């Protein structure tokens, strides 16, 4: 894709994201996006056939940004156990910020989770690969021990996804001490499990 084409498309996605955030997806028309972008309907329809298509592009661009954030955590020079906890909380904070930054998209995100889920498939695969890489580092460093890093990465990925909605809704602690206590619990669960270790 030539740079000018890519720039125009990115600009249209950003304009749509701002309109969706301000007015909601349902209350935004393709005409609104064309007017706000000052590009006209013909240009808009060159890139996107429908509002649903541009909404998907907005979600995809947000997930790409999240992926880059997670990659930067994975490339940090730190022990794998610290890295996985940093990864979890960076991820949860980034998703919470994404949802709140997009205002009324928040309601759509919760109501329309299955539509978002389709776009997330590719992101989920890439995220699981990052988690697996951190687990492999931990095994190599002698910090982790597990029979299969890939399966563990898949399970952890789904566990992290399951924490998203409660975290966004503020159910993971109302104040700093509660959040720290819950963070300690999450760390304990991941690193020690729930079964008593017999000597």
């Amino acid at each position: 894709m030539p740079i000018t084409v890519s720039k125009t498309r990115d600009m249209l996605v950003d304009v749509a994201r701002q309109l969706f955030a301000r007015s909601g997806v349902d209350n935004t028309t393709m005409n609104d996006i064309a007017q706000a972008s000052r590009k006209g309907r013909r240009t808009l329809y060159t890139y996107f056939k429908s509002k649903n298509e541009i909404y998907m592009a907005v979600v995809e661009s947000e997930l790409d940004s999240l992926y880059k954030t997670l990659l930067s955590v994975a490339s940090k020079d730190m022990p794998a156990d610290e890295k996985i906890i940093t990864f979890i909380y960076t991820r949860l904070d980034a998703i919470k910020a994404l949802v709140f930054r997009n205002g009324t998209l928040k309601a759509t995100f919760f109501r329309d989770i299955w539509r978002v889920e389709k776009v997330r498939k590719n992101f989920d695969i890439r995220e699981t690969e990052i988690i697996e890489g951190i687990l492999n580092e931990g095994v190599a460093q002698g910090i982790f021990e597990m029979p299969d890093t890939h399966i563990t990465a898949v399970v952890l990925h789904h566990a992290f996804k399951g924490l998203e909605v409660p975290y966004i809704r503020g159910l993971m602690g109302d104040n700093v001490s509660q959040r720290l206590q819950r963070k300690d619990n999450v760390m304990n669960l991941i690193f020690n499990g729930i079964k008593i270790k017999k000597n």
Side-chain angles (χ1 to χ4, degrees), residues 145-159:
E145 184 186 3
M146 63 199 72
D148 188 320
T149 53
H150 176 70
I151 291 170
T152 306
V154 169
V155 170
L156 284 176
H157 161 74
H158 285 292

Side-chain angles (χ1 to χ4, degrees), residues 123-154:
F123 169 80
D124 289 350
I125 292 164
R126 294 188 298 165
E127 186 193 34
T128 303
E129 286 168 0
I130 297 176
I131 297 167
E132 188 175 348
I134 298 171
L135 295 178
N136 284 328
E137 277 177 40
V139 170
Q141 292 165 358
I143 295 170
F144 300 149
E145 184 186 3
M146 63 199 72
D148 188 320
T149 53
H150 176 70
I151 291 170
T152 306
V154 169

